[in-house]
Amino acid sequence: MRTIFSIMTDAVAYGMVLFIISIGLSIMMGLMRVVNLAHGAFAMIGGYLASYAIRDLHVHYSVAILMAVIGTIIVSIPFEILLYRRIYRKSDPLIQVLMTIGITFFIIGIVNFIFGPSLKSIPLPQTLSGPLDIGFRMLPTHRIFVIACGAVTALALWLLIEKTEFGIKLRASVDHSGMADALGIRTEIIYAVTFALAIGLGAFGGVVGAEILPIEPFYALRYMVTFLVVVSVGGAGSILGALSASLLLGLADTTGKYLAPEFGDFFFYLSVIVVVFLFPHGLFGRSHA
């Protein structure tokens, strides 16, 4: 029972990290029709900024998270204005793939030049670094924190996209951009805000998940496929799909590494193959997405 409980805790925490980072990519691919392979690079920027803020500026962990999210969004603005706006309505995914891969390598080079090509730790505050007593077992406090962050992120995003005027305008801008323009909806602003939201979520996930997915020089390339897989398995643009896929893959990967570590990522990708075979458009995807 102790092993099962440890597997479940680590699996859910890992799944929530995947969700927080990948949901931003899912939003861009599903709602904005942009295959943003540079999403992991922006998550890496958030991790590097948080590490610098805590280790060199000596700010509190919560302040470092805020600085990392805002800083990453600010860094992404020139990319959005000069590059991403040119591909929002492009139907050819090859253009998007080539451009965003180029952005990924550009960001990796710049970040490693500025911060150095080494692993960057993000020290946790004392309140998150110790165990948490839940009565019948001690759990890592940081794992509980990550799980809570994932749950709050999922709920907040669902409310934003499904229950607010912004969400209505976003869906209108994506599905019928010409009509949305005719009705006076500033689609370029809607796209820019959505892009900033996606980038901010990636940076947030990169920081809070650094204990599980360490921030290192080739973070963006190492986890690029992982984030894409979560979106593919869950269905692009689906919050519930991204959450379900993240938890499912997190459980498969964690269980495999606990019970048969010599197999590496075998169980992770085996789960991907099985789900994609059974659900070609993802768990909650749409055939036309």
Side-chain angles (χ1 to χ4, degrees):
M1 286 301 296
R2 179 175 297 181
T3 301
I4 293 174
F5 203 80
S6 296
I7 290 175
M8 292 303 298
T9 302
D10 288 348
V12 174
Y14 177 43
M16 284 303 191
V17 171
L18 291 180
F19 168 73
I20 296 173
I21 298 177
S22 300
I23 188 59
L25 177 59
S26 181
I27 289 173
M28 293 199 69
M29 289 182 63
L31 299 182
M32 301 174 68
R33 309 293 194 267
V34 175
V35 183
N36 183 22
L37 298 187
H39 189 73
F42 290 108
M44 182 180 72
I45 291 175
Y48 271 84
L49 291 178
S51 177
Y52 174 78
I54 294 175
R55 297 172 62 88
D56 295 278
L57 302 181
H58 308 291
V59 304
H60 190 268
Y61 183 75
S62 58
V63 178
I65 292 177
L66 185 62
M67 291 176 62
V69 172
I70 295 175
T72 305
I73 292 175
I74 291 174
V75 169
S76 73
I77 290 176
F79 291 99
E80 197 276 336
I81 294 175
L82 298 176
L83 297 175
Y84 282 92
R85 287 189 183 182
R86 300 174 181 270
I87 64 172
Y88 283 152
R89 299 179 183 178
K90 297 288 185 181
S91 59
D92 186 1
L94 180 60
I95 296 175
Q96 301 174 358
V97 168
L98 292 176
M99 190 194 81
T100 53
I101 285 180
I103 292 173
T104 299
F105 282 103
F106 175 80
I107 290 176
I108 288 174
I110 294 297
V111 168
N112 288 330
F113 175 77
I114 296 174
F115 295 102
S118 60
L119 183 75
K120 299 298 179 182
S121 62
I122 302 178
L124 297 174
Q126 187 174 0
T127 53
L128 296 180
S129 57
L132 177 67
D133 187 357
I134 60 173
F136 61 94
R137 183 166 174 77
M138 304 292 285
L139 293 176
T141 305
H142 180 258
R143 295 289 196 270
I144 303 302
F145 171 71
V146 169
I147 292 171
C149 287
V152 171
T153 298
L155 178 60
L157 272 178
W158 181 80
L159 291 173
L160 176 66
I161 295 177
E162 300 294 335
K163 302 296 182 180
T164 67
E165 182 181 355
F166 173 79
I168 295 173
K169 290 181 178 179
L170 172 60
R171 294 194 299 273
S173 299
V174 169
D175 294 334
H176 304 285
S177 58
M179 182 62 70
D181 285 330
L183 293 174
I185 297 176
R186 299 290 298 277
T187 54
E188 69 277 7
I189 295 178
I190 296 295
Y191 280 127
V193 172
T194 306
F195 178 85
L197 173 64
I199 295 301
L201 286 169
F204 178 59
V207 177
V208 300
E211 291 290 310
I212 299 174
L213 301 181
I215 303 298
E216 46 93 7
F218 292 96
Y219 178 99
L221 295 177
R222 183 180 300 275
Y223 301 114
M224 177 190 293
V225 173
T226 303
F227 303 146
L228 280 173
V229 161
V230 171
V231 176
S232 299
V233 171
S238 171
I239 297 173
L240 180 59
L243 181 60
S244 301
S246 298
L247 294 175
L248 174 63
L249 297 176
L251 178 62
D253 190 51
T254 304
T255 303
K257 288 179 177 177
Y258 260 89
L259 303 181
E262 65 274 11
F263 282 86
D265 294 328
F266 171 78
F267 294 101
F268 180 90
Y269 290 105
L270 176 62
S271 301
V272 173
I273 293 171
V274 171
V275 173
V276 172
F277 176 77
L278 296 175
F279 305 94
H281 304 295
L283 293 173
F284 294 91
R286 299 177 296 176
S287 60
H288 60 276

